[in-house]
Amino acid sequence: MFSYICINKNTDMLKFICLGSGSSGNSYFLFSENYGILIDAGIGIRTLKKHFNTCGLSLKQIKAVLITHDHADHVKAVGSLANEYGIPVYATELVHGGIKRNYCVHPKLKEENIRFLQKGQTLELDHFVITPFDVPHDSADNVGYSVQYGDVNFCLITDAGHVTEQFGGYIAQANYLVLEANHDEDMLMMGPYPAYLKGRISGDYGHLSNKVAAQLLAEHVTDRLRHVWLCHISEENNHPELARKTVDTCLRSAGIVSGRDFELEVLKRRIPSEIYELEKK
């Protein structure tokens, strides 16, 4: 039986929990005492309810849902969640179009729950200031999110086929960062996937490898950064410890030491993380 660690200290600060990360379902929850934002709803609604309940949380705490892109592992439960609880769902117009076409999303979103956002334009929800930015992926559209809450900045970048110039700027602002490290390049190329799928994953609109994620971090981390979580780890073409070691080794070659300069962790695919309290460094 799994045991989940849930920390509950100061209720007025920003907190974070990952409910799942990977092709089996992605969902991240940022919340304060009075307002909660779910980023992606790719976990089945029953599982999402179970995870929230186990960690002493309630789906009623979710006041808004932000969607990165329209692939099933990021939107599977968005219709059920939003329609049942009357939650607005924010995404670009192209992503909302992709959600409507996605056969895995059932029921479809009610029109009154649909909200549109645009890349580069900030959105203010309660005390959260959210900036979506472009992330290249083979979906209808895809964004990362930079979230400012008081003096704390949280950034999420996932399902990125290649690094853009914008990434560095958002990482440099971040106190807390969720970053994709999807695959090990050698494991992918030597593995059982067909050639077309290997090409898709490693291509410019696929996923970031451990090595590319490590180089991105090494080039753009600042002393603002407190914690990095590696996400969307492939079950077939990666291993959590391999991802962590690859990133750690690259950082050390640049004089950056995880555990000293900032914490480095790998998010699990199907098991919720602990609840983290996010404070400014």
Side-chain angles (χ1 to χ4, degrees), residues 22-23 26 69 71 73-74 136-138 142 158-162 180-183 185 188 197-210 212-213 231-234:
S23 58
N26 298 269
H69 63 289
H71 285 170
D73 57 326
H74 295 260
H137 192 51
D138 60 354
N142 190 25
T158 187
D159 294 67
H162 62 271
E180 177 179 56
N182 174 260
H183 61 276
E185 294 170 355
L188 175 64
L197 186 53
K198 292 179 181 180
R200 171 188 174 265
I201 292 169
S202 61
D204 283 346
Y205 294 90
H207 293 272
L208 289 186
S209 69
N210 296 340
V212 173
C231 73
H232 217 297
I233 307 295
S234 171

Side-chain angles (χ1 to χ4, degrees), residues 210 233 238-247 266:
N210 296 340
I233 307 295
N238 207 353
H239 186 275
E241 186 60 16
L242 176 59
R244 191 195 65 79
K245 285 186 175 180
T246 301
V247 173
V266 180

Side-chain angles (χ1 to χ4, degrees), residues 17-200:
I17 182 172
C18 170
L19 289 313
S21 178
S23 58
S24 51
N26 298 269
S27 193
Y28 310 91
F29 189 44
L30 279 173
F31 62 104
S32 62
E33 181 178 12
N34 299 311
Y35 203 91
I37 294 173
L38 191 73
I39 303 179
D40 285 341
I43 298 171
I45 188 65
R46 291 181 182 178
T47 301
L48 197 61
K49 287 179 178 179
K50 182 183 73 173
H51 288 342
F52 264 69
N53 182 65
T54 301
C55 286
L57 301 170
S58 168
L59 293 184
K60 293 180 179 179
Q61 292 175 258
I62 303 172
K63 305 303 181 184
V65 177
L66 304 177
I67 297 298
T68 59
H69 63 289
D70 60 312
H71 285 170
D73 57 326
H74 295 260
V75 298
K76 183 190 306 180
V78 70
S80 299
L81 177 65
N83 293 351
E84 180 176 349
Y85 293 91
I87 304 170
V89 176
Y90 293 84
T92 69
E93 185 174 359
L94 289 173
V95 170
H96 271 303
I99 292 171
K100 287 182 178 180
R101 294 189 299 271
N102 193 320
Y103 68 90
C104 292
V105 179
H106 184 77
K108 298 300 181 184
L109 281 169
K110 294 179 181 178
E111 289 297 322
E112 60 263 32
N113 295 328
I114 294 175
R115 304 286 189 279
F116 296 108
L117 50 76
Q118 294 185 20
K119 297 173 185 176
Q121 294 190 7
T122 59
L123 169 71
E124 294 189 21
L125 298 174
D126 192 64
H127 296 297
F128 294 81
V129 181
I130 302 150
T131 305
F133 56 92
D134 185 59
V135 174
H137 192 51
D138 60 354
S139 51
D141 199 8
N142 190 25
V143 301
Y145 288 105
S146 176
V147 181
Q148 191 74 33
Y149 181 84
D151 57 5
V152 174
N153 184 278
F154 174 93
C155 182
L156 181 142
I157 302 173
T158 187
D159 294 67
H162 62 271
V163 172
T164 73
E165 291 184 5
Q166 284 188 312
F167 287 7
Y170 285 111
I171 290 173
Q173 295 174 23
N175 304 115
Y176 299 89
L177 173 66
V178 176
L179 178 65
E180 177 179 56
N182 174 260
H183 61 276
D184 174 78
E185 294 170 355
D186 291 336
M187 284 184 68
L188 175 64
M189 291 306 157
M190 296 173 61
Y193 279 8
Y196 82 89
L197 186 53
K198 292 179 181 180
R200 171 188 174 265

